[in-house]
Amino acid sequence: MKISGLTKRYKNTLALDNINLELEEGKATAVLGESGAGKTTLLSAIARLTDYEGKIEGAGNVSCLFQDSRLLPHLTAEGNVKFVLKKEERGKAAEMLARVGLQGKENRYPHELSGGEQRRVAIARALLFPHDTLLMDEPFSSLDLSLKRDLLALVTRLCTERGETVLFVTHDVREAVFFSSRAVVLKGGKVVADIPVSASYPRDFFTHYPEEEMLERILVSAQ
């Protein structure tokens, strides 16, 4: 994906200021920054949910994984996943639910699932929605540490296996370094840092990687 001169204004506020980025196919890129830095606006532009100036090339179809699961309450877990699939592909739903640890819970409705289980359904649905680029907007931010670790490890494994091109918005440096091969920092709608993450996969959630300290310093200086 190639982003050129991406600019977005909200009345008198410049949310994105001439962003230029190239995202490598099959890799995960994290986007960090303080509140109001332009992270979610960047995803919205790529998802074609807002108008903008500039060019976004190569994003193709996008699938979105949000902070809240956004499941349809009248559909079962399997029904929520099948909802995004063509009729001839709906057999993939049960298989993907098993991959995310929900085998035997396919026929439960969202209110019958825990918060973590609902998030697993949302992950399965996002991965099966026909797409070229996966956009994730802080999908793990409201989870406790243990569940966050487990779901991050799950999504990292599945995205790596499937060769997903991912743009991952997060405020958490550890999440960014654990999941992504590159971390971009925004401030005031501008890119102020672009850091490669060199550790090989699989990574350990509780290992301290050198990129974390570097990113922490950049984020502090960007405030």
Side-chain angles (χ1 to χ4, degrees):
M1 184 197 316
K2 184 175 183 180
I3 299 170
S4 306
L6 183 60
T7 300
K8 173 64 182 179
R9 293 179 175 84
Y10 294 106
K11 295 184 178 179
N12 296 324
T13 301
L14 191 58
L16 297 174
D17 186 3
N18 195 36
I19 298 286
N20 295 286
L21 282 174
E22 286 195 43
L23 307 184
E24 187 177 353
E25 186 176 350
K27 302 290 186 180
T29 300
V31 179
L32 300 111
E34 63 181 347
S35 178
K39 304 185 302 297
T40 297
T41 302
L42 175 61
L43 289 198
S44 296
I46 295 170
R48 308 177 190 93
L49 298 176
T50 186
D51 58 349
Y52 57 85
E53 301 170 41
K55 290 184 179 181
I56 300 174
E57 302 171 293
N61 293 325
V62 301
S63 180
C64 299
L65 183 60
F66 299 100
Q67 185 172 345
D68 53 333
S69 298
R70 303 193 183 189
L71 301 183
L72 299 171
H74 62 286
L75 294 180
T76 63
E78 188 169 2
N80 266 277
V81 179
K82 284 182 175 179
F83 186 78
V84 302
L85 295 171
K86 295 180 180 179
K87 186 175 181 180
E88 62 271 19
E89 296 181 327
R90 290 178 181 171
K92 296 179 181 179
E95 178 184 351
M96 182 58 79
L97 286 171
R99 294 289 314 276
V100 301
L102 291 178
Q103 189 169 10
K105 298 185 178 181
E106 299 90 344
N107 295 320
R108 296 191 182 182
Y109 288 89
H111 73 274
E112 299 174 311
L113 299 170
S114 69
E117 289 168 341
Q118 291 179 28
R119 195 61 52 89
R120 290 173 187 266
V121 176
I123 291 167
R125 184 177 61 184
L127 289 174
L128 284 183
F129 182 85
H131 66 278
D132 304 290
T133 305
L134 176 62
L135 305 178
M136 303 201 305
D137 193 0
E138 303 205 43
F140 311 109
S141 63
S142 62
L143 305 178
D144 64 57
L145 188 61
S146 177
L147 183 56
K148 177 186 291 191
R149 177 197 61 197
D150 292 346
L151 290 182
L152 258 172
L154 170 66
V155 174
T156 302
R157 184 174 71 253
L158 290 172
C159 287
T160 302
E161 288 175 3
R162 291 162 58 90
E164 297 277 355
T165 302
V166 186
L167 195 62
F168 173 38
V169 162
T170 179
H171 66 278
D172 189 313
V173 167
R174 179 176 289 181
E175 286 185 15
V177 172
F178 179 81
F179 180 75
S180 305
S181 60
R182 176 184 178 193
V184 173
V185 180
L186 296 184
K187 178 185 179 182
K190 289 180 175 289
V191 174
V192 295
D194 190 342
I195 307 296
V197 182
S198 59
S200 60
Y201 294 102
R203 298 170 184 165
D204 180 70
F205 188 73
F206 293 111
T207 294
H208 181 78
Y209 295 101
E211 291 86 356
E212 291 182 45
E213 186 175 345
M214 187 186 309
L215 286 166
E216 291 283 8
R217 287 201 306 268
I218 292 168
L219 286 167
V220 168
S221 66
Q223 291 178 0

